Amino acid sequence: MANHSSFSSLFLLFSLFLGYGVLQLQASHHVFQHLQTTSPASSSHQPYRTGYHFQPPKNWINDPNGPMMYKGIYHLFYQYNPKGAVWGNIVWAHSTSTDLINWTPHEHAIYPSQPFDQYGCWSGSATILPSGKPVILYTGIIDAKNTQVQNLAVPKNLSDPYLREWIKYPKNPLMASTVENQINGSSFRDPTTAWLGHDNIWRVIIGSKHHRKGLAILYRSRDFKKWIKAKHPLHSGKDTGMWECPDFFPVSTAGQNGVDTSIVAPDVKHVLKASLDDTKHEYYTVGTYNTILDRYIPDKGSVESDSGLRYDYGKFYASKTFFDNEKGRRILWGWINESSSVEDDIKKGWSGVQAIPRKIWLDKSGKQLVQWPVVELEKLRVKQVKLPSKILEGGSVIEVSDVTAVQADVKISFEISDFKKAEVFDPSWTDPQQLCIQKGASVKSALGPFGLLALASKDLKEYTAVFFRIFKGQDKYVVLMCSDQSRSSLNNDNDKVTYGAFLNVDPVHEKLSLRSLIDHSIVESFGGGGKTCITARVYPTLAIEKEAHLYAFNYGTENVKMSSLSAWSMKKAHIY
């Protein structure tokens, strides 16, 4: 924990906040009206609604905001439109959980009500003060020109573990664009969780841009009230455009446990992530935080739009992490947007879900993060199906029966013993997604494609293929992981793009493992124990409900060994 000595002024600050009941965000009549007007549609009419991924009964959702743990309760705030299934009218919706899987809704935590946020309450983050008190920094929109400012809100009642009511600081905004600070007022949003330096000064970064340069603007404060812009950003990236939803946090080099956001130590590195508005992809780097200069130095590269590390190479954006102090882990939340048309979203009455929360830690190499679904998800598993180890001959497909294929958790691993006929890797193949598009599930090579056919119809007219290919490089074998949506649906109005990434695994000495979370319209996949993640959003017309099937396959010409396969049907989570 950080030093408590600088917080006497903060205690006075909270006393001041609590005296402004007139600015209280929740009116007594505004309780669950937005939830009660529509109940979840029956599964026969809503085949794409998820069973265990977080989504409200209706309407649009996007970014997860300020997730945190408070008094043994997990809190998820998220961007929500209470009036429809398209973006707009954004408020901070709020749900709580004791296990990160089952959720209870509460009143909106923050919604437009004051001049400093009257045109919208956009993304932000929660910070837990050393006293244990939570605060929220969020972006407010102040006019029709989309001018963005940063505001502060605090709980009305700290003894309420559900934090059902929030109060806005009367002296908001705390950070705003001016001529002097040279900030683009329409590109100035999404404050991070703040961290406390050894000098007892708070720091926070805000996403921004200057022309085409992406920026993580740095602010400092001694009391969490008065924030002063630093002369230089924490980090920047040339020709990357707007940096949305930045995140900056430490990771341990000594194991899989997470560390508090304010920790700086010899056995800690730092991660900087930005969501790039231009591409709608996220990139992160691992590096060093220079606390003297207040600069972040990546070990390699920068946050770039055409290369670099990503949390997820599919549908995954606007992510946010928090430190779970009770279980000593860092948890990652991310938004999965739709692949269906806006017209279809309006017809079904909802848009967007949240990915399964993931524990993240630094790989032993120190060069990338590893992600894995939180262990609590396994409580939903029922009726395990295990297939014995067997050789999958070239061109073979085997069905995984007796599992609810539309709502399942599947783990499979492969071993390769003969690499002699592996396809030669062309060094010009630098874009793994394009390589997966060119070499989809129907394109044979020697070693691959092999993996899973999820949400497949019986006749295989529809399927989402998640698979590996192995190539022979100059001095090592190259593993490609693909998620091919090209045959996921007979409805051609959907986005059916194929995703791909190179997997940092040595297939000579390691098994190739794959875990896929299948949930009606989601196939969320983790390769190599979580070194590479690809989330697909698909809308089959045939492979729905009881007509969905699951297969293991090898469409390569050479045999591969399926060393293990376990699949579980998944119970429905309690969400709303």
Side-chain angles (χ1 to χ4, degrees), residues 314-315 336 464 483 485 499 521-524 534-538:
K315 292 276 186 182
I336 306 174
T464 296
S483 182
Q485 278 76 247
Y499 305 115
S521 58
I522 290 175
V523 183
E524 191 174 356
I534 305 178
T535 297
R537 199 74 204 275
V538 297

Side-chain angles (χ1 to χ4, degrees), residues 256 359-361 363 368-373 411-413 468 481 503-505 510-515 525-533:
Q256 297 184 9
K359 177 182 175 180
I360 60 173
W361 65 92
D363 181 59
Q368 70 168 106
L369 296 174
V370 179
Q371 307 165 64
W372 202 244
K411 296 173 69 176
I412 189 170
S413 64
F468 301 115
M481 178 177 166
L503 178 62
N504 185 22
V505 171
E510 301 175 63
K511 295 179 181 179
L512 285 179
S513 69
L514 173 66
R515 181 180 180 186
S525 299
F526 302 79
K531 288 185 177 181
T532 294
C533 306

Side-chain angles (χ1 to χ4, degrees), residues 495-510:
D495 171 11
K496 296 191 288 184
V497 68
T498 289
Y499 305 115
F502 294 120
L503 178 62
N504 185 22
V505 171
D506 178 4
V508 177
H509 301 102
E510 301 175 63

Side-chain angles (χ1 to χ4, degrees), residues 390-401:
K390 67 174 297 180
I391 298 296
L392 293 183
E393 296 181 353
S396 64
V397 178
I398 60 171
E399 182 164 9
V400 184
S401 303

Side-chain angles (χ1 to χ4, degrees), residues 311-324:
Y311 287 149
D312 196 296
Y313 292 82
K315 292 276 186 182
F316 191 92
Y317 193 72
S319 65
K320 185 73 66 176
T321 68
F322 76 99
F323 177 58
D324 177 356

Side-chain angles (χ1 to χ4, degrees), residues 77-238:
F77 305 93
Y78 58 95
Q79 300 275 272
Y80 178 70
N81 178 2
K83 297 182 179 180
V86 297
W87 185 88
N89 310 300
I90 296 298
V91 304
W92 278 48
H94 180 203
S95 291
T96 58
S97 172
T98 57
D99 61 8
L100 289 168
I101 301 299
N102 301 286
W103 293 89
T104 300
H106 300 291
E107 304 95 321
H108 299 329
I110 302 173
Y111 60 86
S113 66
Q114 300 296 323
F116 49 74
D117 63 12
Q118 61 184 326
Y119 283 82
C121 299
W122 288 8
S123 296
S125 300
T127 300
I128 305 295
L129 303 179
S131 62
K133 298 176 180 179
V135 295
I136 284 174
L137 288 171
Y138 72 97
T139 296
I141 311 301
I142 63 173
D143 56 31
K145 297 179 181 179
N146 196 27
T147 303
Q148 299 155 23
V149 300
Q150 313 314 318
N151 300 318
L152 181 64
V154 299
K156 180 183 180 183
N157 181 7
L158 288 169
S159 64
D160 175 15
Y162 301 106
L163 300 175
R164 284 169 284 201
E165 295 183 86
W166 289 76
I167 298 170
K168 298 173 184 177
Y169 181 43
K171 294 185 179 180
N172 282 333
L174 303 185
M175 295 166 254
S177 59
T178 64
V179 174
E180 292 76 19
N181 63 25
Q182 298 181 323
I183 289 174
N184 181 346
S186 63
S187 299
F188 178 54
R189 56 185 178 270
D190 311 334
T192 63
T193 296
W195 69 95
L196 187 65
H198 292 303
D199 54 5
N200 285 327
I201 295 175
W202 286 100
R203 282 127 173 115
V204 70
I205 55 175
I206 318 293
S208 188
K209 69 176 180 179
H210 180 68
H211 300 302
R212 290 286 305 151
K213 179 188 284 188
L215 300 172
I217 297 178
L218 178 68
Y219 275 82
R220 302 185 186 97
S221 175
R222 292 187 178 277
D223 60 5
F224 230 91
K225 295 181 295 184
K226 182 179 180 181
W227 291 86
I228 299 173
K229 179 179 172 291
K231 293 181 179 179
H232 58 77
L234 181 78
H235 193 59
S236 62
K238 295 180 180 179

